[in-house]
Amino acid sequence: EEGSTSFPCPNDRRSNLVNDFWRYYNNQFRSSCDKVHYRSMWSSGWSADFLNVQEGLIDATNNFHVPLVMAAPWHYAAVKKDNINRTCSQADLTCYFLPYHSCGSLDDICGFTPREFGMTIEECTGTKVERITTEKILDQVEIWHERGYYAYQFMTRKQLWLRRAVFDFKHKFRMKHGPESDCSVLHVRRADIIFHEQHARKYHPIADYVKLIPKEKLNDPNHTIFLLTDDECSQRSTRVLPQPTMEV
């Protein structure tokens, strides 16, 4: 309640989330924008990108006490090669998620909106806004740590259109497959398995993924397999799956 001096019970795990959200909000929206912690967007993969974002938010809040601003474009909001087909004009996190700072656009912060992919922080010198960068790596910023998870939750507060799209998809799915319908999501990512040599790993056939789905689901006529993949071979192999498959 506005004006209240009461706080959630400190032993409540959810209260830790609330407290972190308040700290992030106050830092991002109630701090001066004369200085910002400005970070490049890695545009590597979802997990890696948000590891960078999470670390940036925690660093900006705990150590610099200035708002975090992430650079653009982001490859989930524009084609990585030439920055076309933008999800929104900013081509950044705010295409999908709620604004996370009140410092204005990159035109206000950078002096221009980067038009080409790979624009470096050093080239962002068009205004008097001081941009703080760092090479330091923090501990416990990964999503499996509490503070990393809470930072991720703050930065991925969905835009209303995205929340509506998820709601509509679920509704249409149940209308098509029945009110008791269910689905198992398989994420088969193969394109970059050998891109990073130190992380190279074995391909697994789709059948190996299906074996991990509980038998009661596979025996359910209302169950559907939802396949998320970047590999055309994976898509062809769905012909042998035991249930209807949706592909993305």
Side-chain angles (χ1 to χ4, degrees):
E1 185 176 334
E2 187 175 356
S4 172
T5 57
S6 63
F7 295 92
C9 174
N11 295 323
D12 180 1
R13 177 180 169 85
R14 185 162 182 80
S15 74
N16 293 337
L17 171 64
V18 173
N19 289 334
D20 274 9
F21 264 48
W22 271 117
R23 290 194 310 106
Y24 295 144
Y25 178 84
N26 285 328
N27 184 73
Q28 292 296 117
F29 289 94
R30 295 180 176 175
S31 299
S32 169
C33 292
D34 292 339
K35 294 182 180 180
V36 299
H37 176 34
Y38 191 77
R39 281 196 172 224
S40 296
M41 202 33 139
W42 288 354
S43 290
S44 172
W46 189 275
S47 178
D49 291 349
F50 276 99
L51 176 63
N52 184 30
V53 171
Q54 289 148 216
E55 184 174 50
L57 181 62
I58 292 168
D59 220 1
T61 303
N62 295 348
N63 300 324
F64 299 131
H65 310 294
V66 299
L68 166 72
V69 175
M70 298 299 303
W74 182 33
H75 66 157
Y76 287 104
V79 176
K80 186 171 183 176
K81 181 179 179 181
D82 48 18
N83 196 21
I84 62 172
N85 295 339
R86 298 183 177 198
T87 305
C88 67
S89 60
Q90 295 82 7
D92 65 2
L93 289 167
T94 61
C95 291
Y96 302 101
F97 307 115
L98 293 176
Y100 60 94
H101 64 79
S102 58
C103 296
S105 68
L106 285 179
D107 278 322
D108 300 320
I109 298 166
C110 221
F112 60 90
T113 300
R115 306 298 179 193
E116 298 179 6
F117 211 90
M119 191 70 67
T120 65
I121 289 175
E122 289 73 21
E123 293 173 277
C124 179
T125 56
T127 71
K128 294 181 179 179
V129 176
E130 183 179 345
R131 288 162 295 277
I132 302 172
T133 62
T134 181
E135 300 293 331
K136 184 179 179 181
I137 299 175
L138 303 180
D139 294 327
Q140 297 186 350
V141 297
E142 295 89 350
I143 200 170
W144 52 85
H145 292 292
E146 186 174 274
R147 74 171 185 168
Y149 178 68
Y150 293 164
Y152 176 82
Q153 290 290 308
F154 181 85
M155 294 297 292
T156 56
R157 294 165 295 125
K158 296 181 182 66
Q159 289 274 11
L160 292 181
W161 74 263
L162 180 57
R163 295 174 63 182
R164 184 72 203 185
V166 173
F167 176 86
D168 288 345
F169 176 84
K170 292 170 67 176
H171 177 71
K172 290 177 181 178
F173 178 85
R174 289 201 168 121
M175 289 290 291
K176 180 178 180 180
H177 299 281
E180 303 300 323
S181 58
D182 189 15
C183 75
S184 294
V185 181
L186 305 182
H187 183 193
V188 182
R189 176 176 163 180
R190 291 176 170 170
D192 64 347
I193 282 181
I194 59 173
F195 184 72
H196 301 291
E197 185 175 344
Q198 69 272 28
H199 300 306
R201 57 197 185 275
K202 175 186 175 183
Y203 280 175
H204 290 275
I206 295 295
D208 286 358
Y209 292 84
V210 175
K211 290 176 183 177
L212 298 176
I213 300 174
K215 289 184 178 180
E216 59 269 22
K217 288 186 177 292
L218 292 176
N219 294 330
D220 184 352
N222 293 314
H223 179 260
T224 300
I225 296 172
F226 187 17
L227 176 63
L228 299 158
T229 184
D230 57 1
D231 182 29
E232 186 179 352
C233 294
S234 295
Q235 295 175 344
R236 288 199 297 267
S237 66
T238 61
R239 298 169 187 168
V240 301
L241 292 180
Q243 291 177 322
T245 305
M246 297 181 294
E247 299 170 1
V248 174

